[in-house]
Amino acid sequence: MSYFDAASSAPLHPVARQALHASLDEGWADPARLYREGRRARLLLDAAREAAADAVGCRPDELVFTSSGTRAVHAGIAGALAGRRRAGGHLVVSAVEHSSVLHSAEVHEAAGGTVTEVGVDRGGAVSPEGYAEALREDTALACLQSANHEVGTEQPVAEVAEVCRAAGVPLLVDAAQSLAWGRVDGGWSLLTGSAHKWGGPAGVGLLAVRKGVRFAAQGPADERESGRAAGFENIPAIVAAVASLRAVRAEADAERARLRELTERIRERVPALVPDVEVVGDPVRRLPHVVTFSCLYVDGETLLHELDAVGFSVSSGSSCTSSTLTPSHVLRAMGVLSEGNVRVSLPAGTEAAEVERFLGALPGVVAGVREKLGAPAGPTAGAEGASLVVDALGKRCPLPVIELAKVIGDVPVGGTVTVLADDEAARLDIPAWCEMRGQEYVGERPADHGRAHVVRRSS
Amino acid sequence: MSYFDAASSAPLHPVARQALHASLDEGWADPARLYREGRRARLLLDAAREAAADAVGCRPDELVFTSSGTRAVHAGIAGALAGRRRAGGHLVVSAVEHSSVLHSAEVHEAAGGTVTEVGVDRGGAVSPEGYAEALREDTALACLQSANHEVGTEQPVAEVAEVCRAAGVPLLVDAAQSLAWGRVDGGWSLLTGSAHKWGGPAGVGLLAVRKGVRFAAQGPADERESGRAAGFENIPAIVAAVASLRAVRAEADAERARLRELTERIRERVPALVPDVEVVGDPVRRLPHVVTFSCLYVDGETLLHELDAVGFSVSSGSSCTSSTLTPSHVLRAMGVLSEGNVRVSLPAGTEAAEVERFLGALPGVVAGVREKLGAPAGPTAGAEGASLVVDALGKRCPLPVIELAKVIGDVPVGGTVTVLADDEAARLDIPAWCEMRGQEYVGERPADHGRAHVVRRSS
């Protein structure tokens, strides 16, 4: 069994387990109390805060513990927006932020605020210029992840922070994916993190707010954690989380080099081993442990199921996965193929042999899924008319693209295929297929049901 | 060492510790994922939800896990108020609710809502009639604790629920203090709880919302826990929390009888052993493990410190404790003495010998604190004038009462003593002292600085 979904949640680090056990006896009492059990709990909490602040690169009194990374983001954005209300109600986020950021933006918009989403390039990165253009007189806050959770692309945080500083706008950095690897460089104003991403237990997030940043905690008052994180402190879990962060940091340099080599191997080998694959995300400025690719003519849910059956746990941003009917907002913002999408994120300690096993199993698994779906094996031949219409209404990803691929050879070069589809993913995947195949995507227009996607055969 | 502050936080139950250890290996993955680690985590979460629902007395799909009892209250009140927005913006709470409820009420009021606080009797209990009077056409929600956290008084929840039901208003019950002992009877609509109060780990609360109750979760959207509790689920802690709840419930009948006897002994013996003590809270309808009393002429912080020094960890609602300058809102609502206040809340397993040790130590500790403060040892003699003014401005609790007690014997029966004081606690403690001493409290009026409290000597 190989668990390759560390970007969702990492298994508990052995050091975290030890620290949790040790602090269950010392850390259960209320740290606000004056008696010895309370004082002991307070000592543990204070020590954890100092160590976490050191790992983050801030002062202990700038850092509070929350009950999750999501809560840290929600509380951080709400507090920063409220603290800067007099500056205005404009919020800037990238289009590829974690859902906790985007959902906070939705709430802000619903309450009368305005939001600008900064787009990304095909590699998933924003540009400092994009942020500079988005900032306005009335911008209260800007948010940017340190690295993307789906494709691993690292963002130019220091440069964006400089742009924000020049404009007098605080920058909140969601560092959930990168905090295991090191501090976030640059002049950020607020920073959030999530312990279970770095091998700590669930139930612990962190929120750092630099001194001087205007911040007004929202929600009912609560005296704990400087009024920024309501509820009884979860001290044993906090102690374990911080112990784990220190442990993974101590191993970070060695693991970074090792895992980077393994993901590099996946990036190189998968397109060679599996036809019609697009590796997505920045090839250089990226997290060491994450690699993401999409497979044409493959249904993501079936692919995950088959990979699970042969012993690999990965995740997918495909629309055809689990409950969602739309492709991942990250892949959509990047404009890359979403069908048959696989994210491999290696936990610390992953062996090279596991990666080789994965590379050995993947081609057969993908071929099997494609065969079941009746996907085209290679370029098709024949030229029967100047234009064709394919009715893929009611068919879900990846079927519209499979139907298109089956008939593209039936029109002459210069002729068009119009695909009628009502699956949201087709809007992303048909253009992506054209790009991969060197065909021309003419555009889409509304049709009676769904949309008509027009493709011109170029080769 | 005897830890007598279970109502703040109970030590981890051995069963919770075992369950936590066992589920760390199985419960760390994302339960929303389709691979085996995710499915395993999901199974644990589902099983925990079923067991918790059984313990609470609701359906599993009515119960979500939150990151704390405080968060459960915040989310429950905000969601119920928003769900009933069309009914109106009126909220009813008792005056002795936990701060998480009262702070939610403050936020509601700040946002334009209205709040009615239902008062309590001298024992700390509300009356169903009080709720009936408070309910209005536009009442969206009523809240009532199952039992009070400071004095242990049980509230008439079933009767109040019936009053609410008749008026078509949902009732939210904060069951944090009583869930260890059993289900909450009656037709509540929403219920909240907190695991570390029943020997579970910190970081777990629960919120039950009955089917049919209008509920609109507030804050940024999040798909976890039916959209009612944002953030990655803390499954090992949830499993441990539920295991602990089942374990304490299995022991509840035996422990209830045992601890009730021990607290009854404290209720009886403390007034006999220590002069000038008022035991507060309902003597009959009360939690089995909580007993609260206040000691005249004693500073709560010093008392806690001295009790800690001789091995007892208790808490206090005195104003002279820790950072707060006002007496506990619970004691104030009850109109009872707040100075020298001590809450003893026994954890499961407390031995009778520990309680005897406490009873043996308390008289000497209280006498020592009183001696340091120069408190009157007994009734004073002499009658020099018809009225006296005592300047206690700038003096903190319990000094104003001590000054009063020192001079009351200097005026004849029928004469008055006027105490000038600017300490908030004096407003509660001077009338309470009069009641205990059989003197007449005439009233208070604003003075140049602070207030003038007038007391007439009756005996």
Side-chain angles (χ1 to χ4, degrees):
Chain A
M1 295 310 308
S2 291
Y3 178 78
F4 286 171
D5 199 21
S8 280
S9 189
L12 199 66
H13 194 285
V15 164
R17 180 184 299 261
Q18 284 168 16
L20 186 63
H21 287 201
S23 56
L24 286 173
D25 288 327
E26 301 277 307
W28 54 270
D30 184 345
R33 297 291 178 186
L34 303 175
Y35 43 69
R36 72 190 61 201
E37 294 87 352
R39 295 194 305 267
R40 255 188 340 226
R42 165 65 55 192
L43 283 177
L44 285 178
L45 181 58
D46 288 348
R49 195 184 316 279
E50 274 190 33
D54 181 59
V56 165
C58 67
R59 290 165 34 170
D61 61 353
E62 293 175 330
L63 185 142
V64 299
F65 295 107
T66 64
S67 59
S68 68
T70 292
R71 288 286 316 155
V73 166
H74 291 177
I77 293 179
L81 285 172
R84 295 251 309 157
R85 200 168 276 148
R86 274 194 285 181
H90 182 233
L91 171 67
V92 175
V93 300
S94 89
V96 296
E97 295 298 311
H98 186 262
S99 59
S100 56
V101 173
L102 297 180
H103 288 149
S104 292
E106 284 164 18
V107 164
H108 179 60
E109 217 162 13
T114 53
V115 177
T116 299
E117 267 192 21
V118 177
V120 295
D121 61 23
R122 222 179 139 76
V126 303
S127 69
E129 296 72 33
Y131 270 74
E133 277 165 35
L135 296 178
R136 308 192 314 213
E137 270 298 302
D138 66 337
T139 304
L141 177 70
C143 300
L144 178 62
Q145 63 197 188
S146 55
N148 185 268
H149 51 296
E150 288 194 29
V151 299
T153 299
E154 289 176 345
Q155 303 292 355
V157 171
E159 294 88 333
V160 170
E162 183 50 33
V163 165
C164 289
R165 195 203 52 76
V169 172
L171 177 69
L172 180 147
V173 176
D174 167 14
Q177 289 299 334
S178 75
L179 221 45
W181 300 112
R183 292 182 180 182
V184 174
D185 291 334
W188 50 265
S189 303
L190 302 99
L191 182 143
T192 61
S194 174
H196 74 101
K197 308 283 190 191
W198 69 63
V204 182
L206 59 82
L207 168 63
V209 182
R210 291 254 191 239
K211 287 288 156 197
V213 173
R214 287 183 191 278
F215 193 89
Q218 297 300 287
D222 193 281
E223 76 281 6
R224 297 183 187 275
E225 292 298 288
S226 311
R228 291 175 180 174
F232 190 78
E233 292 95 339
N234 189 353
I235 293 176
I238 287 170
V239 169
V242 175
S244 176
L245 182 55
R246 289 165 64 104
V248 299
R249 283 289 184 82
E251 302 152 0
D253 285 344
E255 270 312 274
R256 182 187 291 111
R258 226 174 55 75
L259 294 185
R260 195 171 178 97
E261 213 167 280
L262 296 181
T263 50
E264 197 55 48
R265 175 135 178 93
I266 295 174
R267 292 185 71 93
E268 277 168 17
R269 295 300 298 152
V270 165
L273 292 166
V274 182
D276 298 325
V277 160
E278 183 177 12
V279 177
V280 297
D282 195 294
V284 179
R285 289 192 63 160
R286 62 180 184 84
L287 292 170
H289 64 304
V290 176
V291 50
T292 302
F293 54 87
S294 299
C295 309
L296 265 182
Y297 318 137
V298 166
D299 148 15
E301 181 139 351
T302 308
L303 181 57
L304 258 51
H305 182 78
E306 298 294 332
L307 284 172
D308 177 51
V310 297
F312 298 98
S313 300
V314 298
S315 75
S316 171
S318 291
S319 66
C320 12
T321 309
S322 70
S323 56
T324 171
L325 285 174
T326 53
S328 121
H329 69 275
V330 173
L331 302 177
R332 199 162 45 201
M334 292 165 65
V336 298
L337 186 72
S338 82
E339 66 186 36
N341 179 261
V342 172
R343 177 186 67 186
V344 172
S345 54
L346 306 178
T350 301
E351 302 283 350
E354 291 178 85
V355 169
E356 291 308 319
R357 270 207 310 122
F358 177 75
L359 291 173
L362 184 70
V365 168
V366 172
V369 175
R370 282 174 175 164
E371 199 182 331
K372 274 189 215 162
L373 289 167
T380 50
E384 286 170 20
S387 76
L388 264 178
V389 175
V390 173
D391 182 354
L393 290 169
K395 293 186 176 163
R396 295 272 312 284
C397 150
L399 295 177
V401 174
I402 289 178
E403 298 296 322
L404 166 62
K406 278 182 181 165
V407 303
I408 190 74
D410 296 345
V411 298
V413 170
T416 61
V417 176
T418 300
V419 183
L420 302 176
D422 50 12
D423 181 35
E424 187 64 25
R427 305 182 73 173
L428 183 56
D429 291 340
I430 292 177
W433 178 90
C434 291
E435 176 128 354
M436 288 173 76
R437 277 283 171 273
Q439 308 296 354
E440 181 193 350
Y441 184 67
V442 179
E444 67 165 62
R445 59 168 195 270
D448 274 358
H449 303 283
R451 281 166 295 272
H453 301 269
V454 181
V455 175
R456 176 168 294 119
R457 183 173 173 192
S458 312
S459 57
Chain B
M1 295 309 309
S2 293
Y3 178 77
F4 285 172
D5 199 21
S8 281
S9 189
L12 199 65
H13 194 286
V15 164
R17 180 185 299 260
Q18 284 169 16
L20 185 64
H21 288 198
S23 57
L24 287 173
D25 288 327
E26 300 276 307
W28 54 270
D30 184 344
R33 299 290 177 184
L34 304 173
Y35 43 68
R36 70 191 63 203
E37 294 87 351
R39 297 195 302 269
R40 263 196 325 234
R42 165 66 54 192
L43 284 176
L44 285 179
L45 182 58
D46 289 348
R49 196 184 314 280
E50 276 190 34
D54 181 60
V56 164
C58 66
R59 292 165 32 171
D61 61 352
E62 293 174 330
L63 184 142
V64 300
F65 294 107
T66 65
S67 59
S68 67
T70 292
R71 288 288 314 156
V73 166
H74 291 176
I77 293 178
L81 285 172
R84 297 251 306 158
R85 200 168 276 150
R86 273 193 286 180
H90 182 232
L91 171 66
V92 175
V93 300
S94 88
V96 296
E97 295 298 312
H98 186 260
S99 59
S100 57
V101 173
L102 297 180
H103 288 150
S104 292
E106 283 164 17
V107 164
H108 179 61
E109 217 162 14
T114 52
V115 176
T116 300
E117 268 192 21
V118 177
V120 294
D121 62 22
R122 223 179 138 77
V126 303
S127 69
E129 297 72 33
Y131 271 75
E133 278 166 33
L135 295 178
R136 307 192 313 212
E137 269 299 302
D138 65 338
T139 305
L141 177 68
C143 301
L144 178 62
Q145 63 197 187
S146 56
N148 185 268
H149 51 297
E150 288 194 28
V151 299
T153 299
E154 288 176 346
Q155 302 292 354
V157 171
E159 294 88 334
V160 170
E162 183 50 33
V163 164
C164 290
R165 195 202 54 74
V169 172
L171 177 69
L172 180 146
V173 176
D174 167 14
Q177 289 299 333
S178 75
L179 221 45
W181 299 111
R183 292 181 179 182
V184 174
D185 291 335
W188 51 264
S189 301
L190 304 98
L191 183 143
T192 60
S194 174
H196 74 100
K197 307 283 191 192
W198 69 62
V204 181
L206 60 81
L207 167 64
V209 182
R210 292 256 190 236
K211 288 286 157 200
V213 173
R214 287 184 190 278
F215 193 89
Q218 298 301 287
D222 192 281
E223 76 282 5
R224 298 181 186 276
E225 291 299 289
S226 311
R228 291 176 180 173
F232 191 77
E233 292 96 340
N234 189 354
I235 295 178
I238 287 170
V239 170
V242 175
S244 176
L245 182 54
R246 290 165 64 104
V248 299
R249 283 288 184 83
E251 304 152 359
D253 285 344
E255 271 311 275
R256 183 186 291 111
R258 226 174 56 76
L259 294 185
R260 195 170 178 95
E261 213 166 281
L262 296 181
T263 50
E264 197 56 49
R265 175 135 178 92
I266 295 173
R267 291 184 72 90
E268 276 168 16
R269 294 301 298 152
V270 164
L273 292 166
V274 182
D276 300 325
V277 160
E278 183 177 11
V279 178
V280 297
D282 195 293
V284 179
R285 290 192 62 160
R286 63 180 183 84
L287 292 169
H289 64 304
V290 176
V291 50
T292 302
F293 53 86
S294 299
C295 309
L296 264 182
Y297 319 137
V298 167
D299 147 15
E301 182 141 349
T302 307
L303 180 57
L304 259 53
H305 182 78
E306 299 295 330
L307 284 171
D308 176 52
V310 296
F312 299 97
S313 300
V314 297
S315 76
S316 170
S318 290
S319 66
C320 10
T321 310
S322 69
S323 55
T324 169
L325 286 175
T326 53
S328 120
H329 68 277
V330 172
L331 301 177
R332 199 163 44 201
M334 292 165 65
V336 296
L337 186 72
S338 81
E339 66 186 35
N341 179 260
V342 171
R343 176 185 69 186
V344 172
S345 54
L346 305 178
T350 301
E351 302 284 349
E354 292 178 85
V355 169
E356 292 308 319
R357 268 207 313 122
F358 177 75
L359 291 173
L362 185 69
V365 168
V366 171
V369 176
R370 282 175 175 164
E371 199 183 327
K372 273 189 216 162
L373 288 166
T380 49
E384 289 171 18
S387 76
L388 266 177
V389 176
V390 173
D391 182 355
L393 289 168
K395 292 186 178 166
R396 293 273 312 285
C397 150
L399 296 177
V401 174
I402 289 178
E403 299 296 322
L404 166 62
K406 277 184 182 166
V407 303
I408 189 75
D410 297 344
V411 298
V413 170
T416 59
V417 175
T418 300
V419 183
L420 302 174
D422 49 13
D423 182 35
E424 188 64 24
R427 305 181 74 173
L428 183 55
D429 291 339
I430 292 176
W433 178 88
C434 291
E435 177 129 353
M436 288 173 76
R437 278 283 173 272
Q439 308 295 354
E440 182 193 349
Y441 184 67
V442 179
E444 65 165 64
R445 59 169 196 269
D448 274 358
H449 304 283
R451 281 166 296 271
H453 302 269
V454 181
V455 175
R456 177 169 294 120
R457 184 175 171 188
S458 311
S459 58

